[in-house]
């Protein structure tokens, strides 16, 4: 159960990777039980699960961790350089979003990027709700957001944000709604 919570919570590569480590320990232990009690089905099932868990460990504590560490190092290096400060596009999801007054409004869940020039068209912001339950998603035009390394700031107040139409689950627009 602990491993399932660690991998299912989506708290980053390291937590997910260590969840796979816990899963692997469990599947190895059950393989030993299957071997010592001559339960071939238990041994075969958990032998396969051990292989799957080892792939998960490699994926999350190896490759994906290296990707995140690379992005983090580029972000930190850009803060100390003469070049524009960077943040990873994948890192935008989960960034806190505040109003023009600094009032917390929610978090970014996705940014939609145009294919032609790679610029952000709009950001989907989740507001209200707890743990995804009861939250409302709204598309905010890129021109109404100031980007920073540690968060996004709307150029408008809460009432403007709340006047944007909520997005339907799985049915997002090709462009954000224009509201004056």
């Amino acid at each position: 159960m602990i491993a399932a919570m660690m991998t299912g919570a989506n708290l980053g590569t390291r937590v997910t990777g260590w969840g796979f480590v816990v899963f692997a320990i469990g599947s190895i232990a059950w393989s030993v039980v299957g071997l010592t009690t001559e339960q071939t089905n238990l041994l075969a099932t958990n032998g396969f699960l051990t292989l799957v868990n080892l792939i998960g460990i490699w994926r999350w504590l190896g490759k994906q961790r290296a990707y995140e560490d690379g992005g983090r190092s580029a972000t930190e290096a850009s803060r100390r350089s003469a070049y524009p400060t960077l943040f990873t596009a994948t890192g935008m999801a989960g960034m806190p979003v505040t109003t023009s007054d600094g009032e917390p409004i929610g978090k970014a869940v996705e940014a939609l990027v145009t294919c032609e020039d790679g610029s952000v068209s709009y950001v989907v912001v989740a507001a209200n709700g707890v743990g995804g339950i009861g939250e409302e998603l709204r598309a905010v035009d890129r021109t109404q957001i100031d980007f920073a390394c540690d968060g996004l700031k709307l150029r408008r107040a809460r009432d403007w944000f709340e006047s944007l139409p909520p997005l339907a689950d799985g049915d997002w627009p090709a462009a954000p709604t224009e509201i004056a």
Side-chain angles (χ1 to χ4, degrees), residues 9-87:
N10 195 22
L11 296 174
T13 57
R14 284 178 174 76
V15 173
T16 300
W18 281 102
F20 275 106
V21 169
V22 174
F23 271 135
I25 291 168
S27 61
I28 290 168
W30 281 111
S31 294
V32 170
V33 169
L35 182 65
T36 59
T37 60
E38 298 180 8
Q39 297 181 54
T40 55
N41 287 341
L42 184 63
L43 176 62
T45 301
N46 282 285
F48 176 74
L49 289 175
T50 299
L51 176 64
V52 169
N53 292 324
L54 292 175
I55 292 169
I57 292 168
W58 170 80
R59 167 78 169 86
W60 291 102
L61 289 180
K63 298 303 289 176
Q64 192 64 33
R65 181 208 43 82
Y67 299 155
E68 283 189 8
D69 287 350
R72 191 175 305 110
S73 70
T75 298
E76 291 171 10
S78 71
R79 289 181 181 185
R80 298 183 305 269
S81 75
Y83 294 102
T85 304
L86 304 171
F87 65 89

Side-chain angles (χ1 to χ4, degrees), residues 132-146:
I133 299 171
E135 72 183 4
E136 290 183 332
L137 304 178
R138 290 184 167 82
V140 179
D141 189 288
R142 187 271 173 265
T143 62
Q144 299 301 320
I145 298 175
D146 290 324

